[in-house]
Amino acid sequence: MAGQRGTETGFRIERCEGGGSTTFTPIAVVGHDITAYLDGGLARNACYSYRVQAFNAGGNSPYSNIDTAKTRRR
């Protein structure tokens, strides 16, 4: 799938808690061409890291870069 744009069937979204954690848990599978995902029910004032993997009938892409964000205090 590398280098092929727009050929995905969908995306797997994974999350881990903490900035340096590497233990990711699947949280969602979304359809093709989805460009945003809202992750609700998170703890306040906590860091979460995310990665995404595209898939289609030919297999899985490599994982995306990891992105980390911190939730608000209130």
Side-chain angles (χ1 to χ4, degrees):
M1 284 188 60
Q4 296 179 356
R5 186 178 178 130
T7 61
E8 76 279 349
T9 300
F11 298 96
R12 289 182 192 89
I13 303 169
E14 299 183 356
R15 174 184 72 209
C16 67
E17 190 168 351
S21 176
T22 57
T23 306
F24 285 86
T25 302
I27 59 168
V29 175
V30 297
H32 70 92
D33 294 337
I34 299 298
T35 60
Y37 176 78
L38 179 62
D39 190 12
L42 303 174
R44 293 179 183 165
N45 199 31
C47 282
Y48 292 93
S49 296
Y50 297 86
R51 68 183 183 183
V52 177
Q53 183 179 51
F55 64 90
N56 67 14
N60 300 327
S61 73
Y63 283 106
S64 66
N65 293 334
I66 295 170
D67 196 14
T68 301
K70 187 172 185 178
T71 57
R72 295 181 181 185
R73 291 183 182 207
R74 46 182 183 132

